[in-house]
Amino acid sequence: MPPKYPPQVRKGDSSSSAVQSQEEHRQWLDDADFTLLCDSLKVSDAVREGSWKIWQKVSADGCERIIRNEKVLGICIFLAAVELNDLTFTITELLKSTHLNVNMFTGYIKEMDISMDTITTKVNNAVTRLKTKYNTLCTLYQKFQRLFELIFIKEPSNVQISSDISPAALFKILWITFLLVKGSVLQMEDDLVISFQLLLCVFTHYIKILPLPLLREPYKSAISGKSDKAQTRSSRRGRNRNPHLSKQVESDEVFEILCKENGCNMDEVKNINITTFVPFLDSVGISTTNGIPEEPVLSKQYEDLYFNSKDLDARLFLDDDETLQPNMGGCVELEKTPQKNDPEEMNLIPPQTPVRTAMNTIQNLLNSLASASDQPSPTLKAYFNNCTSNPTRAIQERENNLGQIFKQKFAEAVGQACEEIGYQRFKVGVRLAYRVMEAMLKSEEKRLSVQNFSNLLNNSAFHESLLACSIEVVMATYGSISRETDLSFPWILEVFKIEPYDFYKVIESFIKDEPSLTREMIKHLESCEHRIMESLAWRSESPIYELIRQPREREGHVDQPEPTSSLNQPLEHNHTAADLYLSPLRSPRRNVPTSRAIPTLSVPESNNVPAPLPQPTQRSTSLSLFYKKVYRLAYLRMNTLCSKLLPDHPELEHVIWTLFQHTLQNEYELMKDRHLDQIMMCSMYAICKVKAIDLRFKTIVTAYKELPNTNQETFKHVLIRDGQHDSIIVFYNLVFMQKLKTNILQYATLRNPTLSPIPHIPRSPYKISNSPLRLPGGNNIYISPLKSPYKHPEGLLSPTKMTPRSRILVSIGEQFGTAEKFQKINQMLSSSERLRKRAAESSNAPKPLKRLHFDTDGPDETDGSKHLAQKLAEMTSTRSRMQKQKQDEEMDTTLKEEK
């Protein structure tokens, strides 16, 4: 049985009671199993006390699936140590003490969070980092094994590496060398790309210094062939062989083979070798020309590194240690990747390893920029020269300044030895930025028939945002796009000190003017735009509040950011970055096209021509478009949540949306330093409350957690006031309801107030498919856009040219489709649609969490919400009396008429 809470000392207790309580306090701290575990991990008294309190909470909450053992006690120690920044043990030591592997360990933590909602954001980040690092190490070790088998002969006959080194020992030496360089060079050790490139440098180094009979082809020929040629040339010239030159030639050949076999860019790997790997070898005393380091020496150096970082001991991969086993046995309800049952479907697409996928993605980006330069093209220079004020010097100075800042910040995040790697990535981003800038200006010239873009090209916010967007594409590509790292968005905004609202202005034009972007990259940039709209643009220092507050006086009222009358109108995607960065104004009258209200992008040649002044009855185009997009994003999220939680009350969706939209438009201060989804959940709860629908906040939060791209921080860490944060239920009671109480009570009547129009939801302009899309329903049918074999001189695909005959061509499989094949396809598509509808209809509201930290066993609301319920009850009673009185009067009238 788990130990119980000790009695608490209260005011008025006798001194003997206090002494007894202190003795019991020492008893529960001296629990034998707990003390033994703490002693083995050398934890401090503060961690002991903190972990015991966590265990008390776990046992008091009574989770049926979590029992008292060394595993759970060890996790409690880990949680307390992370929270207190007091780790005295390595992760491997903890796993050994609790007999857990990494997956089991993180699985237990996840189970505790689901059952009791006790895991803080700080702990959650630490666990996420641990899993990412472990997954990266697993991937690299598997790749290391494969490369070793392809390069070296395991049991070479009559080959002596050295007196005490066997092929098995060499395997260990190479792996530990890699771990040592990775741990020494990289501060951010979950960087898969740089880690793999360092691994290739390790292999290249040992290929050069090992005996030739130990090598497989083509590496053996690469070394022997180059050496023979170098020796022949030297003998002909009558001078000794230059060993440094020979080794350099050998390295180039080996790099070329390794990079080609693994889809890497050779220039990048050679750069990492020169700037990072070779200096590392010198720093640890490993010769770059000959000699194999001893395994104990390398192991001792790595051990010091491992203990200092309190990390996983990755040497244990060599021993197939249980703590690093990738199996899922014993893990508690861990998410597993769905397995495909159809073998034909599995063979449609060849398997891609994480390393191969990352390398291919990077190479595709570099190939697309092969003809681009990190200097302005002649076309761009012509645009610069056409400006009233030539921006060339300012652009160059800005680029140089941001380049130094980026290099420094990249090194701080990844590792000081990676400074030049960061700068190379920056220069790739510069090449992309110049190409997109040129495409944007060409589009503007075609649209406006002008060539003087002085206002735009002298706008620093435009240049910084465009460069930041280009670098974000590069960083996302090197980070495998979807994987969260320390360099993920919005890291680049923080590096360049760019306002998220300014960055948002360039995204749509960037996507339209850079056709080489992959479907995954377009989705990534769209997710960046969503993050800006949902929270980043609403930070307290954001310029958006000043834009909203600027008086747009009309008939004595302040004009709203975007009138509700425009919500159900289609969202036009013809706005360019130039429109938004120059903050043009448009008339609120619907009969005036937006494009007509855009002022010229050029600066008048004559200083005597006054610039047009904004009219007081106009709104900012950038703010108007921003609000339209926010409304659509907000409605789509709310619609998804309503379909999960209120399938039996579809009529409430429109009411919830009206309150939600009213808050965003009229009480926008509630969004300051908060999240769009917090307002959404509060709006849903408030309407359900006044409509007497039983929907608790814990149920809303449970359903919200199942939505894509959500974070527990959204409902656990909500701003209340003055830097104070608490759960979303506290925010609802103390802030949201207090601010909107009068408005919420309007919906308690039988007749709702005027409802806001539902936003027009068009197909996203970003859904550009570059790869086949599989139709739902489990059928092997894919749709892919027709690609033209013709290309422009710039290397971009030209629009497909169709002839009258080619418009009607259809290809299915290897032959022209017969009537039976078309009928079968129609049946499969119909079946897929039925399956989709059936799945949507059968979706039930999620079960609430067993216990949420911000919920109590009693009512969901505090006194503030009780006051609202009391008001609602009074209104309901009054309404009932009025209805009864009206019925009585009608009855009296009827009786009189009958008489």
Side-chain angles (χ1 to χ4, degrees), residues 515-800:
S516 71
L517 295 177
T518 64
R519 182 169 178 264
E520 289 74 17
M521 186 56 68
I522 292 173
K523 289 171 61 178
H524 172 73
L525 291 178
E526 185 179 19
S527 71
C528 294
E529 184 181 55
H530 287 177
R531 289 191 63 182
I532 292 172
M533 292 189 291
E534 69 190 14
S535 61
L536 297 179
W538 302 101
R539 292 172 177 173
S540 55
E541 68 275 8
S542 174
I544 194 172
Y545 297 103
E546 183 62 28
L547 287 174
I548 297 175
R549 284 192 293 264
Q550 286 177 354
R552 308 277 187 249
E553 296 180 0
R554 185 175 59 193
E555 298 179 1
H557 299 286
V558 175
D559 196 15
Q560 301 298 339
E562 184 60 25
T564 56
S565 59
S566 67
L567 281 177
N568 53 5
Q569 297 175 8
L571 180 62
E572 297 180 359
H573 291 281
N574 57 357
H575 299 284
T576 67
D579 294 342
L580 305 183
Y581 281 105
L582 297 180
S583 299
L585 300 175
R586 67 174 180 82
S587 169
R589 293 174 297 174
R590 293 174 55 184
N591 60 343
V592 179
T594 302
S595 60
R596 300 287 185 183
I598 299 174
T600 178
L601 302 180
S602 61
V603 174
E605 295 293 339
S606 173
N607 294 330
N608 297 326
V609 180
L613 296 176
Q615 298 300 315
T617 59
Q618 294 179 326
R619 286 186 297 271
S620 165
T621 298
S622 61
L623 181 61
S624 175
L625 180 62
F626 177 80
Y627 251 89
K628 284 182 178 179
K629 287 189 173 185
V630 168
Y631 285 153
R632 281 154 179 79
L633 176 64
Y635 176 74
L636 284 174
R637 294 202 174 174
M638 188 208 71
N639 174 263
T640 303
L641 200 57
C642 285
S643 65
K644 286 178 173 289
L645 295 173
L646 300 170
D648 298 330
H649 302 279
E651 73 283 354
L652 290 186
E653 179 185 294
H654 205 164
V655 183
I656 295 171
W657 166 244
T658 301
L659 175 60
F660 192 7
Q661 188 273 329
H662 166 83
T663 306
L664 294 176
Q665 178 171 284
N666 299 289
E667 304 294 345
Y668 55 85
E669 291 285 345
L670 285 177
M671 280 293 297
K672 185 172 290 187
D673 289 326
R674 297 190 178 100
H675 196 287
L676 187 69
D677 293 348
Q678 294 164 356
I679 308 299
M680 173 185 69
M681 288 186 277
C682 288
S683 299
M684 177 175 288
Y685 181 80
I687 294 301
C688 288
K689 201 71 176 175
V690 298
K691 294 295 185 182
I693 303 298
D694 185 19
L695 181 65
R696 293 174 65 86
F697 241 119
K698 61 173 64 175
T699 307
I700 296 176
V701 167
T702 304
Y704 175 76
K705 290 174 71 174
E706 296 175 358
L707 299 182
N709 304 317
T710 58
N711 192 308
Q712 66 172 355
E713 186 94 348
T714 305
F715 55 86
K716 284 186 175 182
H717 194 71
V718 189
L719 175 66
I720 307 301
R721 63 173 66 89
D722 300 328
Q724 175 193 358
H725 293 78
D726 213 312
S727 68
I728 192 168
I729 190 69
V730 176
F731 166 70
Y732 173 84
N733 288 320
L734 299 184
V735 182
F736 184 85
M737 190 194 62
Q738 303 300 327
K739 188 75 172 178
L740 292 160
K741 185 184 303 181
T742 303
N743 187 273
I744 293 172
L745 288 173
Q746 296 180 66
Y747 302 98
T749 60
L750 293 178
R751 179 179 296 178
N752 288 320
T754 303
L755 300 180
S756 299
I758 297 295
H760 176 80
I761 306 298
R763 177 180 173 85
S764 170
Y766 307 137
K767 301 296 182 182
I768 304 172
S769 177
N770 291 358
S771 57
L773 294 179
R774 183 176 176 275
L775 294 181
N779 302 307
N780 296 330
I781 298 179
Y782 291 78
I783 300 176
S784 179
L786 180 63
K787 297 181 180 179
S788 169
Y790 304 104
K791 295 186 177 182
H792 287 301
E794 299 164 351
L796 302 178
L797 290 177
S798 64
T800 303

Side-chain angles (χ1 to χ4, degrees), residues 467-481:
L467 181 56
C469 191
S470 301
I471 293 177
E472 176 59 30
V473 169
V474 175
M475 299 302 290
T477 301
Y478 278 86
S480 301
I481 297 177

